[in-house]
Amino acid sequence: MPTAATTPPTPTANHLLGHPPEARLLLLNCDDLGLDESVNLAVIDAVRNGIAASCSLMTACAAAPHALRLLRRHPEVPFGVHLTLVCETSVRESPDRRWGPLAARDRVPSLLDATGALFAPTPAGRADLLARARTDHVEREFRAQIDAVAAAGLAPTHLDFHCLADGGREDILDLTLALGAEYGLAVRVWLPPALARLRERGLPVVDHGFLDSFAVPLDDKPAHYARLLAALPPGLTEWALHPALPGQNPRDPTAHTPDDGRRVRETDHEFLVSPEAHRALAEHDITVLGYRALQEAWQRARGRLTPEACGMPGVPR
């Protein structure tokens, strides 16, 4: 039996993804595809012409059909399903933009508030949702959102969560990991407890945390991003950016104030497609990855493990 000194270290994300240990890897994904048409156009542009490498689609949103048409037109754009159990307050107040569950409401009642709508992603709204959501109802809704992509003739690369870090509850994350295994998809995970579990199972996950662009200062944002790229350490880091085109859909549903939300999204798009962003990647020898690389690595790892060893028991339909 090997001693502690001779036990091989846990494989790093770089090794599992086929890169040398010193490689700087940036998983650069655009969230919120489907939110509105200006977001859809900006996200596709950021992946096709900018430095982003994949994106995440909210299939329950009103602009999801437009996003699906763009994805069919551009099959080279990798995308995942941005699973959502919440709907932003300002959208809920706009009949033409609100969204609800894709599953029949009478089959997912624990996901709905007293008015019959999805909860708002405020601290109170998330707490109420997580206190009452039944796992079988969450599964039903998640399956509906994933299956909407298959119904459109498209294949996603991964699953991630809208406004609920790692699903908000351990059982919801475990359910999502099981669905990922069933559908052959990677899953975004970024909180320490889950990261440790998945590393033990040989699945590549981020080494250096997760950046949400809504947490990035608006003042001099390009310089801030440039500094982060210059300081990017070896290993895998993930950024979730939220691009939108300027001048359209001025009331942003995910912002603390409408102006701030649009500025976050517009400045994200400006940076992603800028020559400076391309130059920074080359200057600092950064390799940008999308979720397709993670999906392939997760599939390889799962092929070496039983569902029980993965801690991912089958999820009944």
Side-chain angles (χ1 to χ4, degrees), residues 179-195:
L179 291 171
E182 177 184 330
Y183 286 88
L185 308 176
V187 179
R188 173 188 283 165
V189 176
W190 56 277
L191 296 179
L195 290 174

Side-chain angles (χ1 to χ4, degrees), residues 79-152:
F79 75 99
V81 180
H82 203 45
L83 299 166
T84 181
L85 298 176
V86 297
C87 179
E88 279 71 14
T89 303
S90 61
V91 169
R92 286 162 20 124
E93 296 166 352
S94 304
D96 60 331
R97 298 187 67 202
R98 69 164 61 112
W99 69 83
L102 288 188
R105 290 175 185 269
D106 62 356
R107 300 197 70 207
V108 292
S110 70
L111 307 185
L112 306 176
D113 66 15
T115 70
L118 292 175
F119 288 87
T122 59
R126 288 194 297 267
D128 287 345
L129 166 68
L130 295 172
R132 59 178 278 126
R134 284 176 38 176
T135 308
D136 59 329
H137 293 175
V138 174
E139 179 197 342
R140 195 166 288 147
E141 178 58 24
F142 281 3
R143 284 191 184 278
Q145 294 183 19
I146 298 166
D147 290 344
V149 171

Side-chain angles (χ1 to χ4, degrees), residues 20 42 60 64 70 79 84 89 92 175 180 193 241 275 288 295 306 312:
L70 291 175
F79 75 99
T84 181
T89 303
R92 286 162 20 124
L175 164 68
L241 272 62
V288 172
Q295 178 191 28
T306 65
M312 301 173 189

